[in-house]
C-alpha cells in the first residue's frame, strides 16, 4: 500500500508541476483592471452570504487560511480535521458570473502538512491547485474569471488527495448568473462528507484516520456540516409556514454519492448538479449529489412540523450521521395534512 501511495503522490505532483507551466500567462490574462474591488463575505455552514446585489462585475477578494485543528465528530468523539477557515465544511463564497476572483491562500504555520485548493468553478490548471501547493507557513495567490454560473465544490488537491478531502477540506462557491437568483425567504448551506476513523462509529476518544477504510470506501461517519448532530437540536434549521426555503447542498465525498431527501417534503425545484442557469426539474422526491458535486433545491413549507434532512441511503442517516432537520412554525393546515387517528406504538415518525 505504501508503494502505491508513493506512486500516486509522485504522479499527482508531476501532473501539477506540468500544469503549472502555463499558469503565469493564464493568471495575467484574467484581467480585471478598473473593476471595483470588494471583499468576499464568507459564512460558516449552515449560513449563506446575502445575494450579490450589485450591477456589473467586480474584483472579489477571498482570503482563506488552511488550518489543522481538533474537532468534535460526535458526542465524546474527537478527530483531527484539516480545514479551510477552521470549519468543516469551509466557508461559503458567493460571487457572480463575470467577476474576477482573487484567492489569497495561506497555510497556517502550525500545520504539519502541505495543502492547496482546487475550485471547480475555475477554468485553469488544477482549478488553482497547480499554483497553491503550500507548505506550513507559506502563502500564495491566484485569480480567475468566473465564466460559468453554478454551484461548485472546492477542495484540497494535495497528495494524498483522498486523505485531505476525507479530513474535511471542502466547501462551496456559488457563481450567480447575470441578474442573480430569484429571491426566496430563507437560504441554507448543507454539505455532506465522510470520515474514516480507526475506531468504529461512536467509539469514544480521539480517533485517527484510517486510509484502508478510505480506499475501500467504508466510512464510519457520513455527516452533514462536519459532525453528527450539526443540524439537530438547537442547531436545527428554521422556517415558517408559507416560506420558500432554498438549500445549497454539496457533497465533499471523497467517495459516496448522496441521495438527498427531506422527509415529508417534495422539492418544488431542483437545479441538478448545481446548474442554476437552466430550467429546474420540478416535483422531485430525492435527488442525487455526486461526490465533488452539488445541487440547489427549493421547497415551499406548507405544513408546520419537523422535517428531516437525510441521505436516503438510509443507514447513513440513521446509523452514521447524515441527518438534520428543519423546524417549520405556523398554523396547522388541515386542508393539506391532518391526523384522523393517531397510533401510540413505536418510537418512529421522525
Amino acid at each position: 500500500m505504501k508503494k502505491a501511495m508513493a506512486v500516486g503522490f509522485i504522479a499527482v505532483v508531476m501532473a501539477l508541476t506540468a500544469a503549472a507551466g502555463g499558469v503565469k500567462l493564464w493568471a495575467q490574462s484574467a484581467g480585471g483592471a478598473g473593476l471595483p474591488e470588494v471583499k468576499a463575505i464568507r459564512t460558516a455552514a449552515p449560513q449563506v452570504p446575502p445575494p450579490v446585489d450589485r450591477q456589473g462585475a467586480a474584483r472579489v477578494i477571498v482570503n482563506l487560511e488552511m488550518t489543522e485543528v481538533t474537532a468534535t465528530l460526535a458526542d465524546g468523539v474527537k478527530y483531527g480535521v484539516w480545514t479551510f477557515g477552521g470549519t468543516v465544511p469551509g466557508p461559503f463564497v458567493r460571487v457572480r458570473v463575470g467577476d474576477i476572483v482573487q484567492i489569497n491562500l495561506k497555510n497556517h504555520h502550525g500545520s504539519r502538512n502541505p495543502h492547496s485548493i482546487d475550485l471547480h468553478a475555475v477554468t485553469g490548471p488544477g482549478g488553482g491547485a497547480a499554483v497553491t501547493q503550500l507548505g506550513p507557513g507559506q502563502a500564495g495567490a491566484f485569480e480567475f474569471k468566473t465564466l460559468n454560473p453554478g454551484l461548485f465544490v472546492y477542495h484540497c488537491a494535495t497528495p494524498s488527495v483522498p486523505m485531505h478531502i476525507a479530513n474535511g477540506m471542502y466547501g462551496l462557491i456559488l457563481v450567480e448568473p447575470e441578474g442573480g437568483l430569484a429571491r426566496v425567504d430563507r437560504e441554507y448551506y448543507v454539505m455532506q462528507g465522510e470520515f474514516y476513523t480507526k475506531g468504529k462509529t461512536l467509539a469514544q476518544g480521539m480517533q485517527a484516520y484510517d486510509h484502508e477504510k478510505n480506499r475501500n470506501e467504508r466510512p464510519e461517519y457520513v455527516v452533514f456540516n462536519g459532525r453528527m448532530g450539526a443540524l439537530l437540536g438547537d442547531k436545527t434549521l428554521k422556517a415558517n409556514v408559507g416560506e420558500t426555503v432554498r438549500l445549497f447542498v454539496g457533497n465533499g465525498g471523497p467517495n459516496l454519492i448522496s441521495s438527498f431527501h427531506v422527509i415529508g417534503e417534495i422539492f418544488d425545484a431542483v437545479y441538478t448538479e448545481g446548474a442554476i442557469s437552466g430550467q429546474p426539474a420540478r416535483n422531485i422526491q430525492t435527488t442525487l449529489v455526486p461526490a465533488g458535486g452539488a445541487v440547489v433545491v427549493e421547497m415551499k413549507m406548507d405544513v408546520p412540523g419537523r422535517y428531516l434532512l437525510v441521505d436516503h441511503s438510509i443507514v447513513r442517516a440513521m446509523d452514521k450521521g447524515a441527518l438534520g432537520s428543519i423546524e417549520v412554525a405556523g398554523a396547522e393546515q388541515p386542508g393539506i395534512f391532518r391526523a384522523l387517528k393517531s397510533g401510540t406504538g413505536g418510537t418512529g415518525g421522525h
Side-chain angles (χ1 to χ4, degrees):
M1 186 195 77
K2 289 183 178 179
K3 182 178 180 181
M5 289 181 65
V7 171
F9 181 92
I10 292 170
V12 173
V13 169
M14 289 179 65
L16 290 170
T17 302
V23 166
K24 187 174 293 184
L25 176 61
W26 160 70
Q28 290 174 343
S29 66
L35 290 178
E37 185 173 295
V38 298
K39 187 174 181 181
I41 299 173
R42 306 171 309 157
T43 57
Q47 303 306 315
V48 177
V52 178
D53 228 357
R54 54 178 157 79
Q55 297 295 320
R59 172 178 290 277
V60 183
I61 309 301
V62 180
N63 298 314
L64 288 173
E65 185 174 40
M66 302 173 289
T67 61
E68 301 173 8
V69 298
T70 299
T72 298
L73 192 53
D75 290 344
V77 182
K78 299 291 185 181
Y79 188 81
V81 295
W82 301 349
T83 79
F84 293 100
T87 63
V88 180
F92 194 105
V93 178
R94 192 167 193 163
V95 297
R96 73 181 296 277
V97 72
D99 283 345
I100 300 298
V101 181
Q102 179 178 321
I103 303 292
N104 297 325
L105 196 64
K106 180 180 179 182
N107 190 359
H108 190 270
H109 64 82
S111 296
R112 301 179 62 183
N113 302 277
H115 298 298
S116 62
I117 192 167
D118 168 6
L119 300 104
H120 292 184
V122 168
T123 301
V131 292
T132 57
Q133 300 294 320
L134 303 174
Q138 292 184 331
F142 70 99
E143 64 180 31
F144 69 97
K145 185 174 184 177
T146 53
L147 301 179
N148 307 95
L151 181 63
F152 300 97
V153 169
Y154 65 83
H155 60 85
C156 185
T158 298
S160 158
V161 178
M163 180 181 185
H164 284 248
I165 296 175
N167 281 342
M169 299 196 76
Y170 46 78
L172 290 180
I173 177 170
L174 173 67
V175 182
E176 292 193 9
E178 290 186 12
L181 298 176
R183 297 300 174 92
V184 295
D185 299 294
R186 297 176 189 261
E187 295 180 326
Y188 292 113
Y189 171 21
V190 178
M191 195 158 191
Q192 184 167 315
E194 306 141 27
F195 288 92
Y196 298 82
T197 58
K198 291 286 187 183
K200 292 186 179 297
T201 310
L202 296 180
Q204 298 291 282
M206 187 71 185
Q207 294 297 312
Y209 166 76
D210 190 316
H211 191 70
E212 281 302 304
K213 289 181 181 178
N214 195 350
R215 289 183 70 246
N216 294 321
E217 302 182 7
R218 297 178 59 187
E220 293 294 335
Y221 298 86
V222 184
V223 299
F224 295 141
N225 291 358
R227 61 156 294 169
M228 277 187 164
L231 298 174
L232 295 173
D234 61 358
K235 298 181 178 66
T236 190
L237 306 181
K238 303 291 186 181
N240 295 312
V241 168
E243 292 183 334
T244 296
V245 174
R246 175 182 289 145
L247 301 179
F248 297 104
V249 183
N251 183 6
N255 298 311
L256 304 181
I257 295 172
S258 173
S259 300
F260 186 73
H261 176 77
V262 176
I263 297 174
E265 261 296 342
I266 297 165
F267 301 136
D268 300 308
V270 174
Y271 295 87
T272 307
E273 297 182 7
I276 57 177
S277 56
Q279 290 298 311
R282 299 287 183 183
N283 305 319
I284 303 298
Q285 59 185 316
T286 300
T287 187
L288 295 178
V289 192
V295 67
V296 182
V297 302
E298 296 171 359
M299 52 193 169
K300 183 180 178 183
M301 313 310 295
D302 294 305
V303 176
R306 182 172 181 248
Y307 296 83
L308 294 186
L309 286 62
V310 300
D311 181 337
H312 215 300
S313 295
I314 206 69
V315 165
R316 300 177 191 169
M318 302 308 174
D319 292 358
K320 296 191 175 185
L323 183 66
S325 65
I326 302 178
E327 292 282 353
V328 179
E332 296 292 336
Q333 302 294 316
I336 300 175
F337 178 87
R338 65 189 178 106
L340 298 179
K341 183 178 181 180
S342 297
T344 57
T347 58
H350 315 300

